[in-house]
Structures are given as structure tokens and as C-alpha cells.
Amino acid sequence: MIRVLLAEDQGMMRGALALLLGLEEDIEVVAQVGAGDEIVAAALTARPDVALLDIELPGLSGLDAAALLREECPDCRVLILTTFGRPGYLRRAMEAGAAGFLVKDGPVEDLAEAVRRVLRGETVIDPALAAAALSAGANPLTARERDVLNASVDGATVADIAGKLHLSESTVRNYLSSAIGKTSTRNRMEAVRAARQQGWL
């Protein structure tokens, strides 16, 4: 039996996925969690072969959890299943050690087969998303530019961001200016929006 951990914040979706995967003769859902910060603990307890993770989870994103699983449970293969098929998310998932990336609008048969394939050591990526990621290119934002944009999300002032990130206000302005230029936008809120649409944040 292939032991699967399921991380999905929407209860109905989580239940439906568990039910559908449970109909497969060779797959057993051994753990279900609704928040990202519950994933590693559940994996250490249940010892799944494959962790099926959503990206946007409360507490910790599926991408961050994938990186932690690589360290804490190296034998567990990670398959990202998300509504948000953004090229930047795909790149970040691969960098975090994920073995697969699928969008939720595909047939359930494809999901079950993807679980089997990643367990065999294959990499499974939604073909349309793979093509989009190749054409989109790499994330142009540096780690610090991403930090500053993330800190801008709630309309924080430059002084707020500087205090939070322990930077000078002029340094924050420089990072914001650079990020705005790289995203070809007019202001930092547009830059945040554009970076999110690409999956860079």
C-alpha cells in the first residue's frame, strides 16, 4: 500500500480527495491536516510514502513545508496539488524538493497515477504549467526584494518595513524601487500583485 499524507485547508476538498484516493486499491490516506504547520509532525507520526500538499495553507505554505519535509522526512516524496498554477510556484516547488506539481482541475485518475509515479522516483509536472514556467523565466527578485515586498502587503509604511526587517529606510526604498522596476509596475502594491500572479512571493 502507498501511504499518503493529505494537506488541504478546505475541509470538504480534503475529505473528497481522501475518499477518492481511498477508492484506489493500492493507496491509503494515513494522515490529513488542514494547516501547513501541522504537516511535519503528522508526517513524523504517520510515516507516509507521499505527501500531497496544497500551497496556500494557514500557518506555513505547502512550499515551505515541502522544504522542511525534505530535511525531516527524506524518504517521503512530495506532490504539490494546487488551484494556483503559477510558473513561479512550480519553480519554487522544485527548489524545495517536490517531486511533482499538479493543478486541481485535472481528473482524479491522473492524481492517483501521479502518486504512484512520484513514489517510483519520477517527476510529475502538469504539462501546460511546465511550458508556462519555461517561457516565464526565472524569478528576477532577490531574497531581500521578496522580503520587502512581503512586508509591504498590508500597506505598511517604509518605516514599518525598515523596523520589521532591521534595515534602514533608504535601503528599503532601494529594494522597493528595484522590485518595482523588475516587475514593470508603477508602485509597490502593483509590484506585490504582479509578483504574486507570477508565484514569485
Side-chain angles (χ1 to χ4, degrees):
M1 291 292 281
I2 303 170
R3 297 167 61 81
V4 173
L5 177 150
L6 192 52
E8 163 65 55
D9 62 328
Q10 296 177 6
M12 193 177 289
M13 174 67 82
R14 187 170 64 247
L17 285 170
L19 190 63
L20 290 167
L21 288 171
L23 295 174
E24 301 291 323
E25 291 182 1
D26 58 341
I27 296 175
E28 179 186 7
V29 177
V30 295
Q32 298 181 47
V33 299
D37 47 12
E38 299 170 355
I39 292 171
V40 173
L44 289 170
T45 301
R47 292 292 170 186
D49 301 306
V50 177
L52 193 56
L53 311 181
D54 191 4
I55 289 180
E56 298 202 353
L57 294 166
L60 190 71
S61 79
L63 298 174
D64 292 332
L68 287 175
L69 280 175
R70 182 171 56 181
E71 295 171 17
E72 301 287 334
C73 306
D75 294 335
C76 178
R77 306 279 286 164
V78 172
L79 180 58
I80 299 289
L81 180 66
T82 184
T83 305
F84 305 100
R86 297 172 181 157
Y89 278 169
L90 172 58
R91 286 182 178 277
R92 287 170 57 199
M94 296 299 110
E95 288 166 6
F101 195 107
L102 295 176
V103 288
K104 288 179 183 172
D105 59 3
V108 71
E109 298 82 21
D110 289 0
L111 177 59
E113 188 54 30
V115 167
R116 297 180 187 106
R117 288 176 61 193
V118 297
L119 190 60
R120 291 195 300 261
E122 297 178 38
T123 300
V124 181
I125 299 172
D126 180 270
L129 188 57
L134 286 172
S135 64
N139 182 349
L141 301 172
T142 66
R144 259 318 194 195
E145 288 165 355
R146 289 195 302 270
D147 289 343
V148 168
L149 282 181
N150 274 320
S152 302
V153 168
D154 297 324
T157 66
V158 169
D160 293 337
I161 298 166
K164 182 177 180 181
L165 299 178
H166 309 291
L167 299 169
S168 72
E169 291 184 30
S170 62
T171 300
V172 168
R173 284 191 192 90
N174 288 339
Y175 282 131
L176 285 171
S177 176
S178 178
I180 290 165
K182 288 178 179 179
T183 53
S184 302
T185 53
R186 294 173 298 180
N187 57 55
R188 63 179 158 152
M189 296 322 293
E190 284 186 11
V192 167
R193 208 163 27 249
R196 279 187 161 170
Q197 286 171 349
Q198 289 293 332
W200 294 336
L201 293 183

